Amino acid sequence: MNKIGVGMIGAGWMGATLLQKLTERDDTSLVGLHQRNEEAARDTLSQLGANPDLFASSLDNLLARDSLDAVFVCSTNEAHGPQSIAALEAGKHVFCEKPCATRFRDFTRQIELAKARPDQITFVDYLLNFDTLEDRIRSMTRDGDFGGITQIQVNYRHPINIEGAKAWKLKADQMGDAIGMGIIHSLSVMLNIMAEQNARPVSVFASNSQTHSRPFEIPAVWNLQIRFSNDATGFCFGNVDQANGYDAYHNIHGTKGGLIFDSYLDRPQKIRYWSDSKTNSDWVYPLDHERCTREGLSKLTWPESTTTPDSGDVMQHQTGACVDHFLNCIHNGEQSFLSFENSAPVAELGWAAQMSAARGTPVSLPLDYTDAGSFFAHEAP
């Protein structure tokens, strides 16, 4: 298998973790690392056993390097759009941390370039989709375990770290918006579950609040109600300021079954589900093996290794699975289900929610790009 030459932009909390995953692989070679703090970049390279001279003093310097095939964009939020666009225009595959862009015009440019360059693989790192719980929920939905989903709730409430160098997340011009900062993870999960029923979002009604415990410059508390094409309704409570731990609560209700994942409960009780076809309409706790065995339901248990999206520790996130997926897409020449183009409905939902909150009315989906362009015309250059 030919090695993929990778370049990294940003080696902070997430970037350093992804960089470690990359240096552990046999199918990649590190071509360079660019970030604003040269000393920190060289230290990171040294700690990973890489040559500190792989530091790139500028983005142009990185993109011009021989054997560079793919770029990982892990910089601060406001740089994701311009840097991923530059990488696409340079002919590189692009792995982009969320949000894909904090300015609407950058988002539309990404989509334009991705459509024009189908051989360049793109990926937006909505990593909650890679927990094995999410894989199983999508499979259960596809298999009809819930029947037709009528109501679905996926939360994202997690007090993001703003200590020290991470204080940039307080600033509107660097953070963008709270939806893109993290809440969009839950929207991606919800849309990909509903896609298994060929249901797409048709409108969103959103509200927000600046009742904060910390000095965010943008609203950090969001409430979204999403209407789907199959008449189902989705709900998301998002909050990157106030929370006691990591709340990724799921509640799925369908005509023939349902599932609840409560991230605040102890592990055996975190997940319960019922299904007319699989559990005879009884509630089952698939991670509580002792209880399932006692109730004669041992065949319905899930592996102890089942991962759930309820940790604020990036080392416990499915970063390795995300890297595997992106690189396999490059090797196979196939776009990801989370490519810029394929995941556009998720980003559109985020833009539409901002418009809805400002206007106090629902906004229809798919997004009207002309209307959105006018709404976001005030964006800084």
Side-chain angles (χ1 to χ4, degrees), residues 8 50-51 61 108 111 132 155 157 159 179 198 200 233-234 269 287 296 310 342 378:
M8 177 70 66
N51 187 344
N61 178 282
T108 58
I111 301 301
T132 52
N155 290 347
R157 289 191 282 209
I179 294 178
N198 296 314
R200 59 176 180 80
T233 301
Q269 308 302 317
L287 296 181
D310 53 2
N342 290 336
H378 66 281

Side-chain angles (χ1 to χ4, degrees), residues 133-349:
L133 169 64
E134 305 300 344
D135 282 338
R136 187 176 290 273
I137 290 175
R138 290 194 297 269
S139 177
M140 294 170 74
T141 303
R142 187 167 53 250
D143 292 344
D145 290 5
F146 309 128
I149 293 177
T150 54
Q151 296 171 315
I152 179 170
Q153 179 178 343
V154 184
N155 290 347
Y156 186 96
R157 289 191 282 209
H158 170 51
I160 58 173
N161 188 353
I162 58 170
E163 296 179 357
K166 298 182 180 66
W168 66 266
K169 297 176 183 178
L170 293 169
K171 302 180 183 302
D173 60 346
Q174 288 186 277
M175 182 179 182
D177 67 277
I179 294 178
M181 187 67 229
I183 298 167
I184 203 161
H185 278 310
S186 60
L187 303 181
S188 174
V189 164
M190 186 188 302
L191 264 59
N192 283 317
I193 291 172
M194 295 304 294
E196 298 294 347
Q197 298 204 330
N198 296 314
R200 59 176 180 80
V202 296
S203 69
V204 59
F205 182 47
S207 63
N208 59 34
S209 170
Q210 287 188 295
T211 301
H212 296 159
S213 61
R214 299 180 293 171
F216 287 95
E217 294 181 353
I218 45 80
V221 181
W222 284 80
N223 315 287
L224 285 76
Q225 179 177 328
I226 303 154
R227 189 73 173 173
F228 286 91
S229 57
N230 66 343
D231 284 337
T233 301
F235 298 95
C236 173
F237 293 109
N239 192 328
V240 298
D241 180 33
Q242 313 146 20
N244 183 7
Y246 198 111
D247 176 20
Y249 177 80
H250 290 38
N251 190 321
I252 298 170
H253 186 84
T255 57
K256 297 182 179 180
L259 178 145
I260 295 175
F261 160 54
D262 191 335
S263 43
Y264 287 150
L265 295 180
D266 291 334
R267 181 170 174 78
Q269 308 302 317
K270 278 184 182 295
I271 301 167
R272 62 187 186 274
Y273 77 97
W274 67 276
S275 171
D276 286 347
S277 59
K278 299 293 176 64
T279 75
N280 195 31
S281 300
D282 294 327
W283 283 100
V284 174
Y285 293 78
L287 296 181
D288 191 337
H289 293 191
E290 180 178 337
R291 179 173 180 171
C292 285
T293 298
R294 184 171 63 250
E295 296 175 356
L297 301 169
S298 57
K299 65 179 181 179
L300 298 177
T301 59
W302 295 356
E304 291 283 359
S305 58
T306 299
T307 60
T308 55
D310 53 2
S311 172
D313 183 353
V314 69
M315 297 304 293
Q316 297 179 21
H317 291 180
Q318 299 305 306
T319 50
C322 297
V323 171
D324 284 344
H325 173 77
F326 175 65
L327 295 176
N328 285 337
C329 286
I330 294 176
H331 285 306
N332 297 329
E334 298 175 352
Q335 287 293 347
S336 167
F337 71 106
L338 295 175
S339 70
F340 283 143
E341 191 172 358
N342 290 336
S343 68
V346 179
E348 289 183 9
L349 180 53

Side-chain angles (χ1 to χ4, degrees), residues 103-118:
R103 295 181 297 190
F104 185 71
R105 62 177 175 273
D106 287 340
F107 165 67
T108 58
R109 179 60 176 160
Q110 287 171 333
I111 301 301
E112 178 185 351
L113 286 168
K115 288 181 177 179
R117 301 163 183 246

